Amino acid sequence: MPHDHCPSCAAPDLAFVAHDHGPCASDALARAIAILAAKGLRLTPVRRRTLEILLEGHRALGAYDVLSRLASEGFGAQPPVAYRALDFLEEHGLAHRIRRLNSFTACMHIGENHTAAFLICRACNAISEAPATPSRAALDSAASAQGFAIESATIEALGLCPACQRAAA
Amino acid sequence: MPHDHCPSCAAPDLAFVAHDHGPCASDALARAIAILAAKGLRLTPVRRRTLEILLEGHRALGAYDVLSRLASEGFGAQPPVAYRALDFLEEHGLAHRIRRLNSFTACMHIGENHTAAFLICRACNAISEAPATPSRAALDSAASAQGFAIESATIEALGLCPACQRAAA
DNA sequence: ATCTATATGTTATATCGTAACATTACAAGA
DNA sequence: TCTTGTAATGTTACGATATAACATATAGAT
């Protein structure tokens, strides 16, 4: 369900475009709070901080990167601390796992019911969450041709963002 | 480039269908030999055996699974032995990496120039290589809307194959 | 205030993957 | 045939990613 009243839905993904990132982050955080409240789930300090860390940029962070940030801020220092927070965020649609990088990124379309496709720049590591509806529909159709029932889909592309293409040329 | 003269191109993927698997494997091996010969590359004993192991079924094997098989047959017993063979096969289109499972599966469409989509049954672990052309086209179009140049795509779906859906019902 | 479910923290270990370097086999030219 | 450069295989050692199992603490309900 796209929100046409909000900037992040109307506009294409800004990951590859210079922009004021503050609103991206604060908007996402506000949505996260609303969604968890609606579901009766708790955005505890570790979880909130983990989400904020992911929201610092359009990139993916490994669990151990997140962990060292958390540890330096007084949270637990062992892997399950990070994995649990990240898994919670992913389970409730606030973050995504980037399989290609064994890492995690904040969801930029919180609250929209979506399959995400990720464009991963191999040069600058920026990650854009692209509209995946058509791609997902095509995948659904290939799956039903074999009688396969999809429960979750992973769609990721590795390549070069516009700026890094120019830099490489 | 589909081969309409060969069974594996004309027919839909057989992973979820009971079938005589012998031809799948021997056909794939024959194609692998032809392709490597054409490129002047060597299908050495480890590489060949690794491919044969992957070709034993429509499923994915972890690098360490492959490694223990290789080791038990007198090949080296250290991880790089398996990873090198697997990476070689992937690089030349004879095998695919399944990101979702951190594992590898034989390519069932060797020699066809394709982006693969994988249907992964979470109950029986069978893996089907589905036609991904439409899905990939949609992804390309989402990428170019952001000026992103895709170099490689990962399209995977987790769910239930027909037989396991019936078993679950 | 107590109870219960949830969340956080720990130790320990499993699993996946690669860097660096020594040794062996191979193919191509002298 | 013999050298010789290159590719392939093997090793040790380690780094990176992830989870099992269990102890402690906290929030919210009664």
Side-chain angles (χ1 to χ4, degrees), chain B residues 16-65:
Chain B
F16 301 143
V17 177
H19 65 287
D20 177 5
H21 186 63
C24 294
S26 57
D27 179 62
L29 188 57
R31 289 210 222 177
I33 290 169
I35 290 212
L36 293 182
K39 292 198 204 172
L41 297 166
R42 296 165 51 205
L43 188 61
T44 60
V46 217
R47 291 171 180 171
R48 177 180 176 129
R49 197 66 199 109
T50 299
L51 179 56
E52 288 170 350
I53 289 168
L54 292 181
L55 282 169
E56 284 172 3
H58 293 276
R59 45 209 165 62
L61 294 177
Y64 282 73
D65 296 330

Side-chain angles (χ1 to χ4, degrees), chain A residues 42 44 46-47 76-78 80 84:
Chain A
R42 296 166 51 205
T44 61
V46 217
R47 290 170 180 172
Q78 303 307 321
R84 280 196 289 237

Side-chain angles (χ1 to χ4, degrees), chain B residues 74-151:
Chain B
F75 294 101
Q78 304 305 322
V81 170
Y83 280 103
R84 281 197 288 236
L86 290 165
D87 290 347
F88 173 88
L89 295 176
E90 190 190 15
E91 185 176 355
H92 298 100
L94 311 182
H96 298 283
R97 189 182 272 260
I98 306 296
R99 301 278 168 187
R100 193 74 180 234
L101 303 179
N102 292 325
S103 62
F104 300 82
T105 194
C107 177
M108 291 300 157
H109 299 274
I110 291 176
E112 305 166 43
N113 187 8
H114 66 304
T115 292
F118 298 97
L119 308 178
I120 307 164
C121 180
R122 67 169 164 77
C124 69
N125 292 304
I127 296 208
S128 174
E129 192 173 339
T133 309
S135 199
R136 169 61 194 257
L139 184 56
D140 282 334
S141 128
S144 43
Q146 295 190 29
F148 184 89
I150 296 181
E151 289 171 353

Side-chain angles (χ1 to χ4, degrees), chain A residues 54-109:
Chain A
L54 292 182
L55 281 169
E56 285 171 4
H58 293 276
R59 3 181 255 292
L61 294 177
Y64 282 74
D65 297 328
V66 171
L67 178 59
S68 64
R69 292 284 303 275
L70 292 173
S72 75
E73 297 177 18
F75 295 99
Q78 303 307 321
V81 169
Y83 281 104
R84 280 196 289 237
L86 291 165
D87 290 346
F88 173 88
L89 295 176
E90 190 190 16
E91 185 176 353
H92 298 101
L94 311 182
H96 298 283
R97 189 184 272 261
I98 305 297
R99 301 278 167 185
R100 193 72 180 236
L101 303 179
N102 293 324
S103 63
F104 300 82
T105 194
C107 177
M108 291 300 156
H109 298 273

